[in-house]
Amino acid sequence: MKTAEDYQNGQILLIDKPLNWTSFQAVNKLKWALITKLNLPKKFKIGHAGTLDPLATGLLLVCTGKFTKRITELQGQAKEYTGTFYIGATTPSYDLETEIDQTFSTDHIDDALIHDTIKQFLGEIDQKPPIYSAIKKDGVRLYEHARAGETVEIATRKTTIHEFEITRIALPEIDFRVVCSKGTYIRSLAFDFGKAIGSGSHLTALRRTKIGDYDVKNGIAVTVFENSLDSNN
């Protein structure tokens, strides 16, 4: 079993983040477990290499001790996601955080159109982050502007979609797999895909499956990690 010294020298933990947890909550839970069960100092360094929204599950890379210096490097690696688009409706947050605000026809959509439309999103694209995101505008997070009912001009950003695959079509649902660069918003991809297909779309499920060579198949739940520390005592 790993010791307190091992965690201070540096570890990369592959955590499978559960639904409805923030990434911050997951890291805090791990930090508290390490401090209380291994007697690590309260100033023990720990952090994650890329946020997952509360409504997303999957791979969270958590660096401890000296390995927190590797967070920037890990954040820059390509990420793989799987999930579901709901076609024919949009929400202000582009996902299930907010209620449907508009509905659209899907009568014209068939498998061929879906597969043809994804080609528009391969390679480098311009993407506008969702208004319900943690990016700051004039020192205030965008989601705070959104919740206050304020209209904010959001600049587009360059991002790269390396792979975009449709894995199931059962309208109004479409399942997908995407491999993308750092800073890609899958919620924005859902919204933009809906517009490109002549309808609307929002994200109803999202799971991060890979970051670089790290795979969620090798990840563990926070509770399983906590329990594993008990055997050290």
Side-chain angles (χ1 to χ4, degrees), residues 140-178:
V140 179
R141 297 196 184 278
L142 288 181
Y143 64 74
E144 294 177 28
H145 286 294
R147 288 168 185 163
E150 298 167 357
T151 302
V152 179
E153 186 61 37
I154 305 171
T156 60
R157 297 178 167 197
K158 296 287 185 186
T159 188
T160 303
I161 307 297
H162 302 292
E163 298 176 38
F164 190 178
E165 175 188 5
I166 301 300
T167 56
R168 180 182 72 103
I169 299 173
L171 291 175
E173 292 185 343
I174 296 176
D175 288 354
F176 65 88
R177 183 186 69 86
V178 165

Side-chain angles (χ1 to χ4, degrees), residues 81-89 94-96 106 114 117-118 121 127 161 164-178 184-195 197 200-206:
Y81 296 90
T82 60
T84 303
F85 295 157
Y86 184 98
I87 306 299
Y94 302 170
D95 65 2
L96 294 177
T106 60
I114 291 168
T117 302
I118 65 172
F121 296 92
Q127 187 183 75
I161 307 297
F164 190 178
E165 175 188 5
I166 301 300
T167 56
R168 180 182 72 103
I169 299 173
L171 291 175
E173 292 185 343
I174 296 176
D175 288 354
F176 65 88
R177 183 186 69 86
V178 165
T184 302
Y185 281 90
I186 306 300
R187 286 182 287 148
S188 293
L189 185 63
F191 180 81
D192 293 341
F193 181 83
K195 285 174 63 178
I197 210 166
S201 173
H202 63 281
L203 189 67
T204 57
L206 184 66

Side-chain angles (χ1 to χ4, degrees), residues 1-214:
M1 300 301 296
K2 290 185 171 59
T3 65
E5 188 179 5
D6 290 329
Y7 288 106
Q8 286 185 306
N9 285 336
Q11 299 291 320
I12 297 177
L13 310 178
L14 277 64
I15 300 299
D16 190 346
K17 189 192 82 66
L19 189 66
N20 294 324
W21 281 40
T22 66
S23 300
F24 180 77
Q25 284 174 318
V27 171
N28 261 9
K29 189 84 168 168
L30 294 166
K31 182 175 184 177
W32 180 247
L34 287 163
I35 288 170
T36 56
K37 296 186 179 186
L38 296 186
N39 296 314
L40 283 161
K42 288 187 178 179
K43 291 185 177 179
F44 170 67
K45 288 186 177 180
I46 186 169
H48 66 75
T51 302
L52 273 177
D53 289 337
L55 293 178
T57 66
L59 185 60
L60 194 68
L61 290 185
V62 177
C63 299
T64 75
K66 294 177 182 177
F67 277 17
T68 54
K69 293 177 180 178
R70 296 185 57 188
I71 285 176
T72 301
E73 164 209 336
L74 294 169
Q75 284 176 331
Q77 297 192 17
K79 297 169 180 66
E80 179 185 82
Y81 296 90
T82 60
T84 303
F85 295 157
Y86 184 98
I87 306 299
T90 57
T91 71
S93 59
Y94 302 170
D95 65 2
L96 294 177
E97 183 184 344
T98 53
E99 298 294 322
I100 289 171
D101 60 354
Q102 280 186 282
T103 58
F104 304 82
S105 173
T106 60
D107 293 343
H108 64 289
I109 299 173
D110 58 19
D111 290 13
L113 178 60
I114 291 168
H115 287 290
D116 191 53
T117 302
I118 65 172
K119 297 173 186 175
Q120 299 178 30
F121 296 92
L122 289 169
E124 187 178 74
I125 62 171
D126 290 312
Q127 187 183 75
K128 187 176 289 188
I131 184 66
Y132 282 81
S133 64
I135 294 170
K136 287 187 176 180
K137 172 81 172 180
D138 301 325
V140 179
R141 297 196 184 278
L142 288 181
Y143 64 74
E144 294 177 28
H145 286 294
R147 288 168 185 163
E150 298 167 357
T151 302
V152 179
E153 186 61 37
I154 305 171
T156 60
R157 297 178 167 197
K158 296 287 185 186
T159 188
T160 303
I161 307 297
H162 302 292
E163 298 176 38
F164 190 178
E165 175 188 5
I166 301 300
T167 56
R168 180 182 72 103
I169 299 173
L171 291 175
E173 292 185 343
I174 296 176
D175 288 354
F176 65 88
R177 183 186 69 86
V178 165
V179 179
C180 56
S181 65
K182 173 189 174 183
T184 302
Y185 281 90
I186 306 300
R187 286 182 287 148
S188 293
L189 185 63
F191 180 81
D192 293 341
F193 181 83
K195 285 174 63 178
I197 210 166
S199 184
S201 173
H202 63 281
L203 189 67
T204 57
L206 184 66
R207 182 164 175 78
R208 186 157 66 197
T209 47
K210 291 181 182 178
I211 300 175
D213 293 329
Y214 298 98

